[in-house]
Amino acid sequence: MNVMTKSDLERERKQVIAIKKKPDAPVFLFLEGANMEKRFLEKLKHWNISEKDHIYLGASGGGDSQALLLLLLSAQKEIPFQLSLLHVHHGLRNTADRDEAFVRAFAEKHHLSLRIFHGDVANLAKEEGLSIEEAARDFRCALFLEVLEENERNKVFLAHHKQDQAETVLMRMVRGSGIPGLTGMTPIRGRFYRPLLETSKEELLSYLKEKGESFCYDETNDSDFALRNKLRHHIFPYLESINPKVVENLCRLSVNAKEMWALIQEIMEEEKKRGVQDMFGWTFQRRRFLDFSSAKAHAFLHGLLHEKLFKGISREQILFWEELIRRGEGENSHGKMQLYVNRDSYFIGEKCDYPPYEVSLEKKNVEIPFSSLILWVKSSNIEEMRSFPPNEHRIYADKDKLEKFTLRNRRKGDVFSPFGFSGTKKLKDFFIDEKIPYWKRDAIPLLCSGKEILWIPGYRRSDKALVDEETKEIVCVEERR
């Protein structure tokens, strides 16, 4: 089997940025294996890893994952967590079978559970219009998520290290990422763990050498087929010649970006508390926005858009939305997000198509289409009505005055008799008076009694089927999350 041994380590070391022997060059102080294991154990304890956890390691057979595997085996002596291996065969290299056999042999030697996944990543990339690197990452992530869903105590550990972090930050800079992209990889994301982000490649190789552990070498690391490889082979050596601390500096930039992004999210969450949320999105008072500095406005809009879109947000788009809100009129869509502005307020939410629907309320509850809400129908009484008064999310009606309940969205020519309003008005006019944007109106549910609109959940009920002194049976209809 063609695996790396102690005598082959120098080949792998060439992938690490060379350290120039100059007075101002950094000196790597390699931790002894025992110290590295102690530091690793302390990190697991800080993360509250316990014997109840089942750790799955993404084991490629390469040096990084082998080093992490040895560290986990060492930590397992003090924290008896369950440890299993996950190996993904991407179907891309002739030597992939070799890697699989290596991981399998290691698992058998150490009595570890191993799950192997096979995929045709090249075909997946072609079908999805992705690069090979993107398709491989998505394939692995989907498999790992399936493992996490099997048990809430399952955790996936990945072997990304300090150089990987620096490469990720620089790669995202080259691609034009904003602050969220510059945060790089996080040590913990959900139940994905990256405990080696503060550890250098050199430290890992030194640890493997000390332990006498062999590992597989991925020949594609020598090619320039991926942007990451091009940066590693050509750009980093050049940057290192300018500043030997480039890896540390890029990692520090990642930390600074995380702090800045946390501040942006604080601004966003604080403003969301002052807004009004419904099933479609958020409505905010425009007057408050006008007092924002441009920097705060930019931060707020960036945070809100990123929460829904995650990527594809340009500075130009954010500045355009800021301009529309300050102007006090207009609308614009970006991806699946929509901005609607009037003189007093502005709305930011998801834009969707809402086809006509009509649902019979034969059951006690029914899901409201295009929302996460449920409409509950139940018998009630006057005591409950007094304890829980009607509002925009709850109505009471005289059962004897009702016809068959249906839930639908608007139709051409709909009219409505709002409670407290003399006569009827066009539903369209009601929506205009309530400042409901036109694209949102098809998603608003209408509870009908026969052919008449009884209630617009979240807004207003009609003057039909009201409870009075002669009412014998009361029906309560409630909108719930």
Side-chain angles (χ1 to χ4, degrees):
M1 184 183 299
N2 180 24
V3 298
M4 297 214 42
T5 62
K6 287 187 287 184
S7 61
D8 299 318
L9 280 169
E10 292 308 314
R11 182 184 181 192
E12 178 75 354
R13 288 183 186 277
K14 292 179 181 179
Q15 297 299 319
V16 184
I17 301 171
I19 304 171
K20 307 298 181 181
K21 294 183 178 180
K22 296 180 180 179
D24 59 346
V27 178
F28 281 86
L29 300 178
F30 298 118
L31 297 175
E32 295 178 0
N35 289 337
M36 178 177 276
E37 290 168 356
K38 180 180 178 182
R39 185 176 67 174
F40 183 79
L41 178 61
E42 289 173 352
K43 185 182 291 287
L44 295 192
K45 289 180 178 180
H46 178 71
W47 287 347
N48 295 318
I49 300 298
S50 72
E51 67 277 0
K52 297 180 181 180
D53 292 312
H54 189 162
I55 293 177
Y56 286 87
L57 170 65
S60 66
D64 306 335
S65 66
Q66 282 301 106
L68 179 52
L69 179 49
L70 293 184
L71 289 168
L72 285 167
L73 287 171
S74 173
Q76 198 179 33
K77 297 173 184 176
E78 186 163 336
I79 307 175
F81 51 79
Q82 190 174 351
L83 178 61
S84 298
L85 306 184
L86 304 173
H87 179 77
V88 181
H89 189 306
H90 300 92
L92 295 172
R93 295 182 287 116
N94 294 331
T95 53
D97 292 337
R98 173 207 67 191
D99 297 353
E100 179 183 319
F102 175 84
V103 174
R104 189 187 300 276
F106 189 97
E108 291 175 356
K109 177 182 177 182
H110 294 271
H111 309 290
L112 296 172
S113 172
L114 169 64
R115 295 166 68 172
I116 297 176
F117 305 92
H118 288 83
D120 184 356
V121 171
N123 188 53
L124 177 65
K126 184 177 180 181
E127 290 178 350
E128 301 294 331
L130 302 172
S131 69
I132 292 292
E133 189 178 29
E134 290 171 331
R137 183 182 62 244
D138 290 352
F139 180 64
R140 289 193 303 272
C141 186
L143 295 173
F144 294 164
L145 285 172
E146 289 180 9
V147 171
L148 291 177
E149 290 174 359
E150 294 172 0
N151 190 296
E152 64 179 10
R153 301 298 304 195
N154 290 354
K155 294 174 170 58
V156 172
F157 272 51
L158 303 170
H160 298 104
H161 50 72
K162 185 182 291 186
Q163 274 83 351
D164 291 327
Q165 180 77 300
E167 289 168 3
T168 297
V169 173
L170 184 59
M171 185 165 59
R172 292 179 179 178
M173 288 175 64
V174 170
R175 288 174 171 168
S177 294
I179 293 175
L182 297 183
T183 62
M185 295 178 282
T186 56
I188 301 177
R189 181 172 61 86
R191 284 185 281 151
F192 287 93
Y193 289 72
R194 296 182 175 90
L196 303 180
L197 288 180
E198 297 176 351
T199 307
S200 71
K201 179 81 168 181
E202 282 282 356
E203 288 175 315
L204 296 177
L205 292 176
S206 180
Y207 178 63
L208 287 170
K209 183 176 181 179
E210 180 180 329
K211 293 295 182 180
E213 184 62 46
S214 59
F215 55 90
C216 298
Y217 182 75
D218 182 353
E219 296 82 0
T220 60
N221 286 334
D222 294 331
S223 70
D224 284 345
F225 81 97
L227 175 59
R228 184 180 293 272
N229 286 19
K230 293 175 183 176
L231 295 176
R232 184 182 302 161
H233 297 155
H234 307 292
I235 305 302
F236 268 95
Y238 177 71
L239 293 176
E240 178 76 8
S241 70
I242 298 173
N243 184 351
K245 295 184 179 181
V246 64
V247 170
E248 286 78 4
N249 289 342
L250 285 169
C251 290
R252 189 179 300 112
L253 174 61
S254 168
V255 174
N256 293 339
K258 285 182 175 70
E259 293 174 351
M260 181 59 68
W261 185 241
L263 177 60
I264 289 174
Q265 290 181 307
E266 284 183 18
I267 292 172
M268 176 193 69
E269 293 299 335
E270 182 62 31
E271 291 308 311
K272 282 167 65 174
K273 293 176 183 177
R274 302 172 184 272
V276 177
Q277 184 182 21
D278 59 19
M279 69 182 75
F280 309 102
W282 294 87
T283 300
F284 301 94
Q285 292 301 310
R286 178 172 162 268
R287 180 171 53 186
R288 178 172 173 80
F289 187 91
L290 296 179
D291 292 333
F292 289 175
S293 67
S294 183
K296 184 174 181 178
H298 190 165
F300 168 60
L301 292 174
H302 192 180
L304 205 59
L305 281 169
H306 187 272
E307 187 178 52
K308 293 292 185 180
L309 298 179
F310 187 66
K311 60 181 181 180
I313 307 164
S314 67
R315 176 178 175 81
E316 290 74 20
Q317 183 66 42
I318 293 171
L319 291 175
F320 181 56
W321 277 28
E322 179 190 355
E323 179 186 347
L324 288 180
I325 296 171
R326 292 193 186 280
R327 187 191 304 165
E329 63 176 352
E331 59 185 275
N332 182 252
S333 61
H334 181 68
K336 64 179 181 180
M337 299 299 290
Q338 175 85 9
L339 170 69
Y340 180 87
V341 187
N342 60 38
R343 185 181 62 182
D344 301 318
S345 63
Y346 60 99
F347 171 85
I348 298 176
E350 295 190 31
K351 180 181 179 181
C352 301
D353 294 323
Y354 306 105
Y357 72 87
E358 187 166 338
V359 180
S360 176
L361 268 69
E362 296 176 354
K363 300 185 296 182
K364 290 185 178 180
N365 60 78
V366 63
E367 292 184 3
I368 299 178
F370 316 126
S371 80
S372 59
L373 303 177
I374 295 176
L375 212 59
W376 284 77
V377 182
K378 64 177 183 177
S379 297
S380 186
N381 52 59
I382 196 67
E383 288 77 17
E384 180 182 16
M385 187 172 173
R386 288 169 178 165
S387 300
F388 303 96
N391 55 34
E392 65 269 25
H393 302 294
R394 181 193 308 115
I395 67 164
Y396 297 91
D398 187 327
K399 185 176 180 180
D400 293 333
K401 300 175 185 177
L402 295 173
E403 297 183 41
K404 182 181 178 181
F405 272 155
T406 57
L407 187 69
R408 64 173 176 84
N409 53 1
R410 66 173 179 162
R411 302 287 186 270
K412 186 176 181 180
D414 273 339
V415 294
F416 180 50
S417 302
F419 178 69
F421 180 83
S422 178
T424 63
K425 66 189 312 182
K426 292 180 179 179
L427 184 64
K428 177 182 178 181
D429 292 340
F430 174 80
F431 285 158
I432 292 173
D433 292 343
E434 293 292 320
K435 297 181 172 59
I436 300 171
Y438 71 88
W439 60 267
K440 183 178 174 181
R441 297 169 191 170
D442 285 333
I444 293 178
L446 308 174
L447 178 63
C448 298
S449 172
K451 295 183 179 181
E452 292 186 319
I453 298 174
L454 177 68
W455 180 37
I456 306 177
Y459 293 93
R460 189 88 63 86
R461 70 154 295 159
S462 75
D463 60 2
K464 310 297 181 184
L466 296 173
V467 175
D468 55 28
E469 297 82 355
E470 299 180 1
T471 298
K472 297 178 181 179
E473 291 187 70
I474 299 175
V475 173
C476 175
V477 188
E478 193 170 13
E479 181 186 57
R480 300 182 183 177
R481 290 197 175 275

